[in-house]
Amino acid sequence: MTLEIDRITKSFDGDAAVLNEVSLTVKDGEFLALLGPSGSGKTTLLNLIAGLTKPDGGTLRLDGDDITTRPAGARRFGMVFQSYALFRHMTVADNIGFGLRVLKGKDRPTKPARRARVAELLDLIEMPDLGDRYPAQLSGGQQQRVAMARALAISPRLLLLDEPFSALDAQVRRNLRGSVRDLQQKVGVTAILVTHDQAEAFEIADRVAVMNGGIIEQVGTPADLAERPSSDFVRDFIGAA
Amino acid sequence: MRRTVLIALAILFAAIVIVLPVAAIFTRAFAEGLSVWAAAVTEPETVAAIRLTILTALIVLPVNIVFGLCAAWAIARYRFPGRRALLVLIEVPFAISPIVAGLCFLLIYGAYGPVGAALQPYGIQLMFNLIGIVLVSLFVTCPFVVREVLPVLSVTGEDEERAALTLGANGWQIFRFVTFPNITWALVYGAILATARAIGEFGAVSVVSGAIRGQTMTLPLQIELLYNDYNTTGAFAAATVLALLALLTLVLRGIISYFHPARGATA
């Protein structure tokens, strides 16, 4: 799926714009990172793409379809939250199967079909025996993978990752970067990652969009950005990290 | 040493203030034997009072749950003008003396009050009957559910609900599968506290009940009436029933705490 972000603008309560005419195209199957310091608007942009926030102006198109006003639930975008936001009173298996369970009418797979799909995803995240656990009984890294599986269960048209590594310690973080990238490749889904960590963005993403003060400073492959930074900000931000 | 003194003081205080008076009710009520107690409790007026009290509690309970959930949800999830005012307003019943509350209701909804007078031509009377008793009971009990549910709702946060939203759940599914399981226990606690309060309320109810024997006397009012009639045995017998109803809610609360799952801490 190709996502076109066309001159998206957003401000909160009449303050200065959080996003100022942001335009960006995320190509089919690509892993794109939105990189920037806090307050640069990257999380707001991700929430807009997810449908959790409404833009003041501009258009979002998915494979040419205008989805700007489509409600979050109808977009079928899988999202991994910074806190993972796992359902604490549900088992791992119920968490992963949630998106299938709430489907309406004939779209909802039968119970055995749902169970099979959950088992498939548990295998994918290499936790085949932990379906009966509760989120609180898992390590941070396991919770993050469950959150990934839950987002992938709905066969998302787009995978959105909001700082998915920030709650993990350095060692686990490095290991999981590779596994997130692998999962995305295996499933073949277009993915957008929000991060403030340059090393993370460069390791995972095909292309990186550097954001600052509500605009995109530069978009390019990690090599492009490192070799030909288009502004002092990009050079400093990439160099400093 | 200091520890022993502290514990002894706490026990002594509880004994003087709580255990002795409650024990005294039961000793006095059963002093003349079980049959006398049974006769007093099955006195038609007392039975009517018990029935009215339970009926009131049963009406007040669901209203409290629905209102408490809505108010807690609105305050926890939305930013709107008057939100802080609503938060304070909900606590007003805690601060106002119940008898004052009863008088306020009489002033507004009584036959000479603006609302009461407007409804009178249609033959609708709000005070000195079940409606009045239910109204003031709602007033005194409305903070309980909100106060229990609101902190839990605030702590559990919106992230789980947002996650459910992106996974395609509709509003009802989010509430049913995600929010409600997180607040069930708080809701039950709040409901039990509110019920205990509704059963025992005296001041506010005494103003609006009209004290019609066998008709608008709740159990607390009936106890006072019997006592003032020098029917000490009857008063204490009725008091045991009220105390038992209250203890029953406490036992319920205890049972529920026992089964309260501490996810992840156990298994």
Side-chain angles (χ1 to χ4, degrees):
Chain A
M1 291 275 164
T2 304
L3 179 74
E4 274 175 84
I5 300 165
D6 188 9
R7 281 168 293 155
I8 288 284
T9 298
K10 176 72 184 176
S11 58
F12 289 110
D13 298 334
D15 287 344
V18 181
L19 292 173
N20 199 355
E21 302 222 334
V22 169
S23 294
L24 175 70
T25 299
V26 188
K27 293 177 225 157
D28 187 34
E30 169 176 57
F31 205 130
L32 181 121
L34 295 171
L35 174 67
S38 57
S40 58
K42 56 191 192 306
T43 298
T44 304
L45 182 57
L46 195 76
N47 283 335
L48 279 166
I49 296 169
L52 296 171
T53 310
K54 286 192 184 73
D56 298 336
T59 315
L60 286 173
R61 275 183 297 267
L62 189 71
D63 277 358
D65 282 348
D66 185 343
I67 58 158
T68 317
T69 55
R70 195 177 293 180
R75 294 187 186 195
R76 197 147 60 80
F77 293 173
M79 183 145 175
V80 175
F81 291 78
Q82 187 168 6
S83 63
Y84 311 138
L86 295 176
F87 307 129
R88 68 194 78 190
H89 59 274
M90 287 184 208
T91 63
V92 165
D94 286 344
N95 263 281
I96 296 174
F98 185 82
L100 303 173
R101 181 172 161 205
V102 296
L103 281 174
K104 279 138 207 100
K106 60 176 172 27
D107 291 335
R108 178 166 54 191
T110 60
K111 216 170 185 179
R114 292 196 323 250
R115 206 172 292 148
R117 175 86 177 124
V118 168
E120 200 179 292
L121 284 152
L122 282 169
D123 281 339
L124 190 70
I125 59 169
E126 289 162 10
M127 291 171 54
D129 303 320
L130 300 184
D132 296 333
R133 297 276 181 92
Y134 284 92
Q137 298 169 298
L138 303 177
S139 71
Q142 289 172 327
Q143 290 184 20
Q144 197 247 39
R145 273 147 58 205
V146 173
M148 278 286 283
R150 184 178 68 179
L152 292 174
I154 57 172
S155 308
R157 305 196 289 177
L158 215 59
L159 181 62
L160 308 175
L161 305 152
D162 183 12
E163 302 264 10
F165 305 102
S166 62
L168 304 167
D169 58 55
Q171 182 62 43
V172 180
R173 194 182 306 184
R174 271 193 295 278
N175 293 338
L176 275 180
R177 277 183 203 160
S179 92
V180 165
R181 170 79 202 191
D182 286 348
L183 281 175
Q184 182 261 346
Q185 292 287 308
K186 248 184 241 176
V187 178
V189 64
T190 312
I192 302 173
L193 166 80
V194 160
T195 182
H196 62 271
D197 183 336
Q198 174 265 339
E200 188 172 296
F202 276 32
E203 188 182 325
I204 293 184
D206 301 309
R207 286 196 307 151
V208 176
V210 181
M211 292 190 70
N212 181 38
I215 58 159
I216 293 181
E217 293 262 346
Q218 189 176 359
V219 191
T221 63
D224 281 346
L225 293 176
E227 287 160 23
R228 287 179 294 280
S230 67
S231 66
D232 290 345
F233 175 81
V234 174
R235 184 185 305 111
D236 291 347
F237 192 71
I238 289 172
Chain B
M1 179 58 198
R2 197 181 295 161
R3 186 167 157 260
T4 324
V5 172
L6 212 59
I7 294 172
L9 271 176
I11 292 176
L12 189 71
F13 182 80
I16 294 174
V17 179
I18 303 168
V19 180
L20 280 179
V22 175
I25 296 172
F26 287 92
T27 346
R28 181 64 189 79
F30 292 109
E32 288 155 58
L34 200 60
S35 53
V36 178
W37 176 84
V41 167
T42 49
E43 185 78 18
E45 276 183 21
T46 303
V47 171
I50 294 171
R51 196 181 295 138
L52 180 61
T53 295
I54 292 175
L55 179 65
T56 305
L58 287 179
I59 297 173
V60 169
L61 182 64
V63 179
N64 257 315
I65 288 176
V66 172
F67 166 77
L69 272 181
C70 293
W73 184 287
I75 292 170
R77 291 289 180 264
Y78 299 107
R79 298 287 169 272
F80 52 92
R83 179 175 164 273
R84 295 198 146 273
L86 182 61
L87 201 55
V88 174
L89 208 63
I90 284 169
E91 300 221 321
V92 162
F94 276 159
I96 289 186
S97 164
I99 197 143
V100 176
L103 286 171
C104 295
F105 271 81
L106 206 55
L107 213 59
I108 307 277
Y109 301 106
Y112 301 105
V115 178
L119 290 174
Q120 207 169 28
Y122 307 100
I124 300 169
Q125 191 191 337
L126 296 178
M127 292 292 115
F128 310 126
N129 55 22
L130 180 63
I131 302 173
I133 295 170
V134 167
L135 281 177
V136 294
S137 299
L138 280 173
F139 177 87
V140 296
T141 56
C142 82
F144 288 96
V145 172
V146 182
R147 289 316 304 175
E148 290 289 324
V149 171
L150 186 56
V152 183
L153 209 50
S154 305
V155 170
T156 48
E158 285 171 85
D159 267 4
E160 287 183 41
E161 288 161 18
R162 285 154 59 97
L165 189 66
T166 63
L167 290 166
N170 61 34
W172 166 247
Q173 288 170 323
I174 293 175
F175 177 75
R176 169 74 188 77
F177 297 128
V178 178
T179 312
F180 187 70
N182 282 340
I183 59 168
T184 315
W185 298 104
L187 183 63
V188 171
Y189 278 157
I192 287 174
L193 288 177
T195 306
R197 179 69 199 263
I199 289 171
E201 178 54 31
F202 177 81
V205 173
S206 76
V207 178
V208 301
S209 93
I212 306 165
R213 284 178 177 233
Q215 282 184 42
T216 65
M217 297 296 279
T218 63
L219 199 45
L221 300 185
Q222 181 70 18
I223 292 168
E224 200 224 10
L225 182 84
L226 291 168
Y227 186 76
N228 288 344
D229 282 352
Y230 300 103
N231 184 349
T232 332
T233 310
F236 277 99
T240 58
V241 177
L242 189 59
L244 281 175
L245 283 176
L247 287 175
L248 191 72
T249 60
L250 277 184
V251 169
L252 257 177
R253 200 190 155 148
I255 293 173
I256 284 161
S257 315
Y258 182 78
F259 286 107
H260 191 307
R263 292 267 192 246
T266 49

